[in-house]
Amino acid sequence: MIKNIVFDFGGVLTDWNPHYLFDDYFKDQAKSDWFIKNVCNSEWNAQMDCGKPFSVAVTERIAQFPDYEEAIRLYHTDWMKTMGEEIPGMYDLIKSLKENGFPIIYGLTNWSAETFPTVRKEYRIFELIDNIVVSGVEKVLKPNPLIYKVLLDRYQLNADECLFIDDNQANVDGAINVGMKSVRFEGADKLKDDLRYLL
């Protein structure tokens, strides 16, 4: 029986995309695509999500790509411009869950400890999330089983009573591997359908 629902954040509760920052900066789609794929890419971003300070990561990246110093620094100073809107339908869905048997909602996210506090203040949807584990604070990323166990141990949850929702299949599989039930997020409407069968 599912007693606890756990949400990922980026791509599930809020939209996040570095193109929002760099498409405007480069004014050239091909240059922006190349930069995001090769310089400020997901592998590098994961270092901050795992606890590396932005100041250190930026300095290291500039040493590797000195011709892109200005753009790399923007990833730190203008990071909030990578954020989009709340994912449509998710605020109302979570609000309904809280009013119908799930008063405490959990969050488990790969996110920098430096940027998440600002994001949390800016988006009303985070007011609905009661207990949160952030990878940048714990210095371990999904799908490493350790971060799921941090959530379970900290809030005294049984894995088989938890449903984890993430847009990344590897993170879904990571939850399943520690005994949680999990579903891949493909939009609020699809999630509503999934929840009818899972809850």
Side-chain angles (χ1 to χ4, degrees), residues 32-48:
S32 180
D33 290 346
W34 185 91
F35 181 82
I36 291 168
K37 182 178 180 181
N38 295 283
V39 183
C40 288
N41 56 24
S42 58
E43 292 81 9
W44 180 67
N45 181 72
Q47 295 178 29
M48 282 82 86

Side-chain angles (χ1 to χ4, degrees), residues 6-161:
V6 186
F7 287 94
D8 172 46
F9 293 165
V12 177
L13 304 190
T14 60
D15 184 19
W16 175 83
N17 193 326
H19 277 282
Y20 299 147
L21 170 60
F22 292 115
D23 287 1
D24 183 60
Y25 172 79
F26 285 107
K27 308 289 196 230
D28 182 303
Q29 192 64 51
K31 288 181 180 179
S32 180
D33 290 346
W34 185 91
F35 181 82
I36 291 168
K37 182 178 180 181
N38 295 283
V39 183
C40 288
N41 56 24
S42 58
E43 292 81 9
W44 180 67
N45 181 72
Q47 295 178 29
M48 282 82 86
D49 285 355
C50 199
K52 180 177 283 191
F54 266 76
S55 59
V56 173
V58 165
T59 298
E60 292 174 349
R61 212 60 169 173
I62 290 169
Q64 289 181 274
F65 299 95
D67 292 344
Y68 290 95
E69 177 175 355
E70 182 177 78
I72 294 168
R73 290 195 185 280
L74 279 180
Y75 196 74
H76 186 192
T77 61
D78 288 26
W79 187 90
M80 279 299 292
K81 292 181 181 178
T82 65
M83 293 297 300
E85 302 296 324
E86 288 182 2
I87 301 297
M90 288 304 294
Y91 183 91
D92 289 339
L93 190 155
I94 295 175
K95 189 170 182 291
S96 177
L97 288 171
K98 291 178 73 72
E99 293 168 351
N100 292 279
F102 298 92
I104 298 176
I105 298 291
Y106 299 85
L108 176 60
T109 183
N110 284 353
W111 210 303
S112 162
E114 292 180 64
T115 56
F116 181 67
T118 301
V119 170
R120 188 176 187 177
K121 292 176 187 174
E122 290 294 321
Y123 290 82
R124 62 173 186 157
I125 198 165
F126 291 113
E127 297 171 2
L128 301 176
I129 312 300
D130 303 282
N131 296 320
I132 296 173
V133 171
V134 178
S135 65
V137 175
E138 308 303 330
K139 296 181 169 53
V140 60
L141 295 168
K142 296 175 292 181
N144 189 315
L146 291 177
I147 194 165
Y148 301 93
K149 291 175 182 176
V150 167
L151 174 84
L152 297 171
D153 292 346
R154 182 167 298 161
Y155 300 112
Q156 299 181 324
L157 308 177
N158 295 321
D160 62 355
E161 295 176 344

